[in-house]
């Protein structure tokens, strides 16, 4: 029985803090912030970063067994291009976040 009292004593302050935090979030006027471009950039970054594990999988399952050097070159150039695009998207997302903070 005493562990239930201890659990309530630990959980209640956390619950109050969460309620206070969420009520503050509800009071913010989110129309001032342009979150859509940041969310779209984050989604694209996460999707494009799947290129590296896919690249490794394709190299091990297809390129190495067949010894297709030309396929390896094309895949490598494609993944490098995707990683450059990811870098540019990260820079763009960071600049949007900086603009949002200073707005």
């Amino acid at each position: 029985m005493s562990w239930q009292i201890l659990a309530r004593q630990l959980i209640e302050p956390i619950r109050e803090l969460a309620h206070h935090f969420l009520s503050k979030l509800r009071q913010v006027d989110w129309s001032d912030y342009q979150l859509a471009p940041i969310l779209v950039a984050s989604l694209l970054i996460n999707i494009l970063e799947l290129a590296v594990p896919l690249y490794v999988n394709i190299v091990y399952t297809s390129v190495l067994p067949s010894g297709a050097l030309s396929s390896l070159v094309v895949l490598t150039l494609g993944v490098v291009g995707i990683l450059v695009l990811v870098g540019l998207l990260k820079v763009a997302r960071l600049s949007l976040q900086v603009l949002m903070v200073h707005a």
Side-chain angles (χ1 to χ4, degrees):
M1 189 72 168
S2 64
W3 66 271
Q4 292 174 342
I5 296 170
L6 180 62
R8 267 190 233 133
Q9 289 174 346
L10 290 174
I11 291 174
E12 193 58 37
I14 295 171
R15 204 177 273 166
E16 289 176 13
L17 183 64
H19 176 70
H20 177 71
F21 177 73
L22 292 174
S23 66
K24 289 288 185 186
L25 281 179
R26 280 188 228 122
Q27 294 172 358
V28 173
D29 184 18
W30 292 103
S31 63
D32 293 342
Y33 304 105
Q34 293 185 352
L35 295 177
I38 295 172
L39 293 174
V40 168
S42 296
L43 181 67
L44 286 174
I45 288 168
N46 286 323
I47 290 171
L48 290 174
E49 285 196 349
L50 290 173
V52 173
L54 288 172
Y55 170 80
V56 171
N57 187 13
I58 291 170
V59 167
Y60 281 132
T61 58
S62 300
V63 175
L64 289 179
S66 66
L69 186 61
S70 59
S71 297
L72 179 64
V73 170
V74 171
L75 278 171
T76 303
L77 290 175
V79 169
V80 167
I82 288 173
L83 292 177
V84 168
L85 180 61
V86 166
L88 293 173
L89 281 170
K90 285 183 178 182
V91 168
R93 181 183 63 182
L94 181 63
S95 65
L96 288 171
Q97 290 170 337
V98 168
L99 287 175
M100 185 176 74
V101 168
H102 293 296

